[in-house]
Amino acid sequence: MVLDQQLKIEVFRKLAEVISSCRKCSLWRSRKNPVLGDGDLNANIVFVGEAPGYWEDIKGKPFVGSAGKLLEEAIRKAGLSRESVYITNIVKCRPPENRDPRPEEIKACGPYLDEQLDLIKPKIIVTLGRHSTAYILSKAGIAFRSMSVVQGKIFEVKFWESKTYIIPSYHPAAALYNMRLKGYIEEAIRLAASIR
Ligand code: URA
Ligand code: SF4
């Protein structure tokens, strides 16, 4: 048990090393720091965002800017703490000017997320925004059309031979400009926190 945990920590440390010298897509050219993820490696809930932004790129940690503040507040309002969940992104290096990640970048970087999820094996995956939602739903063979259709819903799938729940949510950055979305995000995270 203790050894398992140490092994996990070690594998994550190695993974951080691998992405810090990764050149599988062109985003390595402009990044300052790649962002692997942050939080409890035994978390029940994993949040998957899009890609690092300005502050994440500087600090090497996910969701530490204004979208992160909003996300953290929603996590706290749901009765959880940032430390008790795991937070990561589908793309580990910041796209220039915070543009959307391109399909080829998601394809190149996705295997790192897959590896993280395979190690954590969370019961619940909350996807933040359309890129991570489309990616994770497609792994379960579910077609994605639009955020407004899937957000706040629970998709029960079978990953790692056990029940896994996918809960898509709007991206916290979108809620910075649209307060209505903030309520939806908080509701989705409350829903995730209510699953036992
Ligand atoms: N937006 C994201 O999708 N991820 C971050 O880490 C920060 C902002
Ligand atoms: Fe590698 Fe991902 Fe960074 Fe591209 S975004 S260079 S695939 S770590």
Side-chain angles (χ1 to χ4, degrees), residues 19 22-28 31 34 91-93 105 108-109 112:
I19 67 162
C22 177
R23 294 183 172 191
K24 285 205 295 173
C25 79
S26 62
L27 293 181
W28 72 271
R31 73 172 174 225
V91 162
K92 310 304 192 203
C93 303
E105 292 158 358
C109 211
Y112 295 130

Side-chain angles (χ1 to χ4, degrees), residues 2 5 12 15 17 19 27 30 36 44 77 80 83 102 107-108 146 160-161 169 183-184 186:
V2 174
Q5 177 62 9
F12 269 82
L15 206 50
E17 250 176 53
I19 67 162
L27 293 181
S30 49
L36 180 61
N44 252 331
K77 279 188 177 170
L80 304 168
E83 295 70 36
R102 294 178 178 145
K107 192 159 178 257
S146 89
W160 313 292
E161 300 298 311
S169 162
Y184 285 129
E186 289 177 354

